[in-house]
């Protein structure tokens, strides 16, 4: 377990925190009923979402008398507490993850590879998944995270703002050139330079990588500085440095503080988000006239593609009941349980991890209730869809890349210098991991 010994010392001080958070030991195997296996399940949801997940677990417990799942919400610093529990030899049986830590955890031998459970009735799990979903949970050829609920991204466009800007609301941008030209007509600034309305602001690099055909990880290293596609994408983002960074950031923050976004409030022309934006609009601005299209493509780029992320379930190394944990997480994902998943996934506005769940009548009925939902699901089968490469330093890479975007939008670094910094720090971290 390379590099693991250093982590033990760092985490030892946190072990009592985990014991306190858990509130109970994972070592119990019965709840008073002979033969009932007690599973400990940790996740990081809180508020409304915590209740949704608990309701799903309750349904599992009612239909699986030989297993009882005990849920614990750890909304703060969940990954650190998980790794601490693994070192202490008392991890949960299942952990739900949505941050890009899977490569780091797997590289440190902190997770069980799930391929070992794919026998008998479970032999077709990999073929059952959307290919891009399977890739997203895979590290060095082994599946370490079973996809549960998926997210795909599209470009939302406000038809009323397009019309006000003199644009055809039935002709949303399909190319980068059209997006740049259309959004430029929508910005509104006060006489004092304060932002009052946004056309579009590209402050995320990763979500554009499939559209720009960017492959940032090649031959075991990050390659960005002299990567033509990677550089072209960052240069395009840097073109938006003409807008005042501080004013734009402050404007966006006012919405984030209130758990909304400027698009849902009718103050942004174009916005990239997942299917969960639809209920946000329904709640805060139900009369909005809007649509969705795939992300516009640059010359030579990929059309009708998307970037994928979501939630996946892991079985930590040292879990007391891995076979029952596997039974639980496959049930949640909908494997051999498609009809149930087709009814439960809409509760979160989720895209299933498998086309077989998507094809179920209940899920199709839900999609058809709002025609804007279906395009998000249709994109899932494009073989050119992409993910952020799964490596031992994906989380660090993503943070470095986010910082680099901010630097170019502020005009503090050129596109090439920003990418060179991301490449250097990420590759150095890879060497340290080794």
């Amino acid at each position: 377990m390379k590099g693991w010994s250093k982590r033990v010392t760092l985490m030892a001080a946190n072990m009592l925190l985990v014991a306190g958070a858990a509130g109970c030991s994972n070592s119990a195997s019965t709840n008073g009923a002979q033969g009932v296996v007690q599973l400990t399940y940790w996740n990081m949801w809180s508020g409304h979402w915590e209740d949704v997940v608990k309701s799903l677990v309750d349904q599992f417990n009612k239909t699986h008398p030989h297993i009882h799942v005990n849920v614990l919400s750890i909304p703060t610093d969940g990954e650190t507490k998980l790794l601490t529990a693994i070192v202490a030899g008392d991890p949960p049986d299942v952990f739900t993850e949505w941050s890009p830590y899977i490569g780091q955890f797997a590289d440190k031998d902190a997770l069980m590879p799930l391929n070992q459970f794919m026998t008998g009735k479970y032999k077709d799990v990999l073929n059952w998944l959307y290919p891009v979903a399977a890739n997203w949970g895979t590290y060095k050829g082994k599946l370490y995270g079973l996809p549960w609920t998926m997210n795909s991204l599209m470009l939302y466009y406000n038809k009323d703002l397009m019309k006000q800007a003199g644009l055809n609301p039935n002709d949303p941008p399909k190319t980068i050139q059209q997006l740049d030209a259309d959004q430029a007509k929508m910005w509104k600034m006060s006489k004092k330079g304060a932002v009052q309305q946004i056309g579009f602001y590209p402050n995320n690099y990763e979500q554009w990588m499939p559209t720009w055909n960017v492959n940032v990880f090649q031959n075991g290293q990050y390659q960005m500085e002299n990567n033509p596609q990677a550089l072209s994408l960052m240069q395009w983002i840097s073109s938006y440095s003409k807008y005042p960074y501080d004013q734009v950031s402050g404007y966006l923050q006012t919405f984030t503080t209130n758990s909304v976004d400027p698009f849902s409030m009718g103050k942004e022309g174009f916005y990239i988000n997942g299917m969960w934006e639809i209920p946000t609009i329904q709640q805060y601005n139900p009369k909005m006239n809007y649509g969705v299209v795939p992300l516009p493509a640059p010359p030579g780029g990929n059309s009708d593609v998307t970037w994928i992320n979501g939630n996946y379930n892991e079985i930590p190394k040292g879990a007391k009941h891995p076979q029952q944990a596997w039974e639980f997480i496959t049930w949640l994902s909908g494997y051999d349980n498609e009809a149930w998943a087709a009814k439960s996934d809409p509760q979160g506005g989720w895209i299933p991890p498998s086309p077989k769940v998507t094809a179920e009548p209940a899920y199709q009925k839900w999609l058809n209730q709002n025609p804007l939902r279906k395009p998000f699901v249709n994109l899932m089968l494009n073989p050119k869809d992409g993910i952020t490469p799964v490596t031992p330093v994906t989380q660090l890479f993503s943070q470095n890349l986010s910082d680099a975007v901010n630097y170019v939008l502020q005009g503090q670094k050129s596109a090439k210098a920003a990418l060179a910094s991301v490449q250097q720090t990420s590759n150095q971290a890879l060497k340290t991991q080794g």
Side-chain angles (χ1 to χ4, degrees):
M1 294 186 289
K2 53 185 179 180
W4 189 251
S5 59
K6 295 180 180 178
R7 191 180 298 275
V8 173
T9 301
L10 294 173
M11 292 183 175
N14 291 329
M15 290 182 182
L16 292 177
L17 293 177
V18 175
C24 63
S25 170
N26 297 335
S27 59
S29 59
T30 65
N31 66 350
Q34 187 175 5
V36 178
V37 173
Q38 297 289 319
L39 289 186
T40 303
Y41 168 40
W42 290 5
N43 64 66
M44 296 184 286
W45 276 293
S46 60
H48 164 74
W49 294 107
E50 181 181 359
D51 294 335
V52 170
V53 172
K54 283 184 176 179
S55 72
L56 302 181
V57 172
D58 286 343
Q59 293 174 55
F60 177 86
N61 287 336
K62 290 177 181 178
T63 56
H64 293 74
H66 62 294
I67 302 174
H68 185 86
V69 179
N70 302 286
V71 190
L72 178 67
S73 173
I74 306 178
T76 304
D77 206 16
E79 288 90 2
T80 298
K81 292 174 181 177
L82 171 66
L83 289 172
T84 305
I86 294 171
V87 173
D90 194 29
D93 295 290
V94 175
F95 184 79
T96 298
E97 178 65 85
W98 51 65
S99 300
Y101 281 104
I102 193 166
Q104 179 180 342
F105 289 2
D107 193 65
K108 300 306 179 188
D109 199 25
L111 303 176
M112 290 187 181
L114 302 179
N115 303 70
Q116 63 186 303
F117 302 111
M118 297 179 195
T119 60
K121 65 176 286 187
Y122 299 109
K123 65 180 180 180
D124 292 325
V125 166
L126 285 177
N127 292 330
W128 178 81
L129 295 167
Y130 283 111
V132 69
N135 291 341
W136 181 69
T138 299
Y139 176 67
K140 290 187 176 181
K142 294 182 180 179
L143 190 75
Y144 286 91
L146 183 66
W148 177 13
T149 61
M150 309 305 300
N151 305 321
S152 66
L153 301 178
M154 297 194 75
L155 181 74
Y156 285 77
Y157 59 98
N158 186 313
K159 295 183 179 182
D160 291 333
L161 293 189
M162 288 184 71
K163 188 174 181 179
Q164 291 172 19
L167 303 169
N168 182 352
N170 297 315
D171 183 27
K174 299 178 180 63
T175 67
I176 288 296
Q177 293 88 338
Q178 186 182 356
L179 174 62
D180 288 341
D182 288 357
Q183 71 84 32
K185 299 177 181 179
M186 296 181 172
W187 285 79
K188 291 184 179 180
M189 312 285 287
S190 71
K191 292 181 179 180
K192 294 183 178 181
V195 176
Q196 296 178 321
Q197 182 175 291
I198 289 177
F200 175 71
Y201 202 61
N203 54 0
N204 186 303
Y205 186 101
E206 293 173 85
Q207 64 192 16
W208 286 98
M209 293 194 301
T211 308
W212 288 72
N213 197 27
V214 174
N215 181 6
V216 298
F217 195 74
Q218 304 173 38
N219 301 318
Q221 286 198 325
Y222 288 96
Q223 299 184 21
M224 304 188 73
E225 180 182 5
N226 297 311
N227 182 327
Q229 289 82 12
L231 183 58
S232 180
L233 171 52
M234 189 63 89
Q235 287 172 334
W236 171 70
I237 291 175
S238 70
S239 71
Y240 280 72
S241 63
K242 61 188 176 185
Y243 298 105
Y245 178 85
D246 289 340
Q247 289 89 327
V248 174
S249 297
Y251 182 73
L252 295 175
Q253 185 59 40
T254 61
F255 291 94
T256 302
T257 301
N258 296 312
S259 301
V260 293
D261 57 80
F263 184 86
S264 65
M265 302 306 293
K267 294 294 184 179
E268 185 172 16
F270 303 102
Y271 181 59
I272 296 174
N273 210 352
M275 191 161 53
W276 61 87
E277 179 74 5
I278 295 175
T280 301
I281 294 171
Q282 290 172 338
Q283 179 178 356
Y284 292 103
N285 198 357
K287 294 183 179 180
M288 178 188 288
N289 188 18
Y290 70 101
V292 297
V293 289
L295 274 60
N302 297 320
S303 300
D304 300 322
V305 298
T306 191
W307 177 75
I308 303 294
N309 67 359
N311 305 304
Y312 53 84
N313 283 311
E314 305 160 335
I315 301 178
K317 193 69 175 288
K320 303 297 188 299
H321 309 291
Q323 191 65 53
Q324 289 83 1
W326 173 251
E327 183 176 350
F328 171 55
I329 65 176
T330 52
W331 185 89
L332 280 178
S333 292
Y335 184 78
D336 198 31
N337 187 37
E338 289 86 355
W340 174 84
K343 295 178 181 178
S344 65
D345 284 346
Q347 294 182 49
W350 294 320
I351 296 175
S354 169
K356 290 191 176 181
V357 177
T358 302
E360 283 287 322
Y363 196 80
Q364 287 295 311
K365 179 181 178 180
W366 178 74
L367 288 180
N368 291 330
Q369 288 171 355
N370 187 333
L372 296 181
R373 293 171 178 157
K374 187 165 286 190
F376 288 92
V377 178
N378 291 343
L379 288 179
M380 292 291 295
L381 282 172
N382 191 321
K384 293 185 178 181
D385 287 342
I387 60 171
T388 300
V390 180
T391 79
V393 298
T394 302
Q395 176 69 14
L396 175 66
F397 167 76
S398 295
Q399 184 57 58
N400 288 341
L401 194 53
S402 177
D403 293 341
V405 167
N406 289 330
Y407 288 137
V408 301
L409 287 173
Q410 293 176 75
Q412 294 184 4
K413 287 186 178 182
S414 69
K416 188 165 186 176
L419 290 181
S421 178
V422 174
Q423 177 178 305
Q424 179 181 0
T425 54
S426 300
N427 285 336
Q428 183 59 45
L430 281 174
K431 291 181 182 179
T432 303
Q433 290 285 329

